[in-house]
Amino acid sequence: MLIIFFLLLMLRVGRCTDSLIFETKTVGVGDNVTLTCTRQTSALEQETLFWFRLISGDLPEFLGGTFSFDYDGVNKTPRITAKQEPGTFLLHISQTKLSDTGVYYCVKVKDLDMIFLNGTFLRVKEPDITAVVQVPLSDSVRPGDPVTLQCSVLSDSEKKTCPGDHSVFWFRAGSGESHPSLIYTHGNSGDECEKSPEAHSPQKCVYNFSKNISSSDAGTYYCAVASCGEILFGNGTKLDTEETRTRSQTDNAVVFLLCAVLVISLIVLAFLIYAIKCDNAAVPLQKISGGQKSQQRKEDMQVYSAVVFTMMKTDRGAIKDAKAAERERIYTAVKAFVLD
């Protein structure tokens, strides 16, 4: 990398464009940063673009290069990537560290000229506010009782990158509200802060918010600290009044009863449906059984009638034959008597 940079120094260096852009970016440790450089595509002019980083006390560092025309090559290290995008040549730094603080230059080389297109001073800082702690309330309060909410702010003044003290705000988020509302602002007196005698130990500031509570003050109270353009929120303190808790318990009881009634109604409905299905299934069986009994009676009557009829028919035939035989005997006897 140093060889490439020394070769570039042999070119005619020292010229900047009239539209040189220089800016300052401030990010926190662990943030992602993307720097862009305009890339003008031309088929007639062959140009190359480079990203360099200048860090105090170190030699210039080459980060990546490309051509003015469309090129798929990517310069990549574990956290830094230099590649083309449509019309730009970008440098992406992921999970920034304090060591990434420095000046980043985008340089264009055309023929024997090296032109500085833009520069960015990247400042990576640690937040001076290390923690915002809120102490939860142990018990619920009754309307009219005084309540004191406490917020502890831990900060490191040695890491502070902006002048002035931090500001503390109190917000309340009610149960029926979509956004928290600002209810109190602490001044910048700094009387609430105490410095630990140990070296490199954080500074602790304690802020108290006192108020006589009414039934409409129930909700979650947040402590917010603004410092150096950033706002940090505490974990919140939930405030419940006895009236609110009683109402909540009543609502829970009503919901439980409604659920119980619904379950019982579903059970009764299922039982009725089952009973109706059983009745509908029993009616065809009765009809089939009744039909079979009626048919059995008809068959028995037919059999009985046939038997009776057959017997009657047989008896009449026998009587008739007897009479015929009797007449035949009488006729024969008469005939014999006459002939005689």
Side-chain angles (χ1 to χ4, degrees):
M1 296 181 183
L2 293 177
I3 296 176
I4 296 176
F5 185 75
F6 289 143
L7 291 176
L8 291 174
L9 290 178
M10 297 175 61
L11 303 175
R12 291 179 288 178
V13 185
R15 188 166 72 89
C16 300
T17 60
D18 296 335
S19 58
L20 174 65
I21 301 174
F22 193 88
E23 60 180 352
T24 300
K25 282 190 175 183
T26 303
V27 297
V29 175
D31 294 342
N32 298 329
V33 179
T34 300
L35 307 178
T36 59
C37 181
T38 302
R39 178 175 62 90
Q40 297 179 353
T41 59
S42 175
L44 301 178
E45 298 181 357
Q46 299 296 328
E47 301 173 347
T48 52
L49 300 174
F50 301 94
W51 277 107
F52 291 97
R53 177 168 63 180
L54 303 178
I55 298 178
S56 177
D58 295 335
L59 292 174
E61 181 181 0
F62 171 77
L63 301 178
T66 189
F67 301 100
S68 59
F69 55 86
D70 294 339
Y71 177 65
D72 295 334
V74 177
N75 303 107
K76 190 173 183 179
T77 62
R79 293 187 304 106
I80 300 177
T81 302
K83 64 178 182 179
Q84 285 190 7
E85 290 289 340
T88 61
F89 178 44
L90 60 84
L91 181 71
H92 180 75
I93 305 174
S94 61
Q95 298 179 354
T96 56
K97 300 180 179 180
L98 291 176
S99 58
D100 293 325
T101 299
V103 179
Y104 294 78
Y105 281 107
C106 178
V107 179
K108 179 176 69 173
V109 176
K110 178 182 179 182
D111 296 334
L112 296 178
D113 290 337
M114 186 170 67
I115 304 171
F116 290 83
L117 298 179
N118 60 9
T120 302
F121 174 61
L122 180 64
R123 181 177 62 179
V124 183
K125 67 179 185 66
E126 289 182 325
D128 60 310
I129 304 297
T130 58
V132 179
V133 181
Q134 292 184 238
V135 180
L137 296 176
S138 57
D139 298 321
S140 60
V141 296
R142 292 175 297 181
D145 291 346
V147 173
T148 299
L149 304 180
Q150 189 177 93
C151 175
S152 300
V153 180
L154 303 180
S155 62
D156 191 348
S157 58
E158 295 180 358
K159 297 179 181 179
K160 195 172 182 63
T161 57
C162 63
D165 297 328
H166 54 257
S167 301
V168 179
F169 307 91
W170 285 95
F171 293 86
R172 185 181 71 88
S175 58
E177 299 177 359
S178 58
H179 300 285
S181 57
L182 177 65
I183 57 176
Y184 187 74
T185 303
H186 285 279
N188 298 327
S189 61
D191 297 336
E192 301 85 351
C193 301
E194 57 181 9
K195 179 67 176 179
S196 176
E198 299 179 2
H200 304 290
S201 60
Q203 176 180 264
K204 182 178 180 180
C205 302
V206 180
Y207 298 91
N208 296 322
F209 171 65
S210 301
K211 184 180 181 181
N212 291 330
I213 299 300
S214 63
S215 59
S216 61
D217 292 328
T220 303
Y221 289 76
Y222 294 94
C223 174
V225 182
S227 177
C228 298
E230 297 180 349
I231 299 180
L232 299 178
F233 283 85
N235 53 349
T237 301
K238 189 174 183 180
L239 178 62
D240 288 332
T241 61
E242 290 185 356
E243 181 179 351
T244 304
R245 179 169 295 184
T246 303
R247 187 184 304 113
S248 178
Q249 293 176 353
T250 304
D251 294 340
N252 293 335
V254 172
V255 172
F256 177 77
L257 291 176
L258 291 177
C259 293
V261 171
L262 179 61
V263 171
I264 295 174
S265 300
L266 292 176
I267 294 175
V268 173
L269 181 61
F271 177 77
L272 292 177
I273 293 175
Y274 177 76
I276 293 173
K277 287 184 177 181
C278 291
D279 292 341
N280 292 335
V283 170
L285 292 176
Q286 293 178 357
K287 290 182 177 180
I288 294 173
S289 178
Q292 291 178 351
K293 292 181 179 179
S294 177
Q295 185 176 1
Q296 185 66 29
R297 294 193 191 99
K298 290 181 178 179
E299 290 179 355
D300 294 342
M301 291 176 64
Q302 290 177 357
V303 172
Y304 178 76
S305 300
V307 172
V308 172
F309 180 77
T310 303
M311 291 177 61
M312 291 175 63
K313 186 176 181 181
T314 303
D315 294 342
R316 289 179 180 177
I319 295 172
K320 186 176 181 181
D321 292 339
K323 290 181 178 182
E326 183 67 23
R327 285 196 301 268
E328 185 69 22
R329 287 194 300 269
I330 295 172
Y331 177 77
T332 304
V334 171
K335 183 178 180 181
F337 178 77
V338 174
L339 292 176
D340 292 341

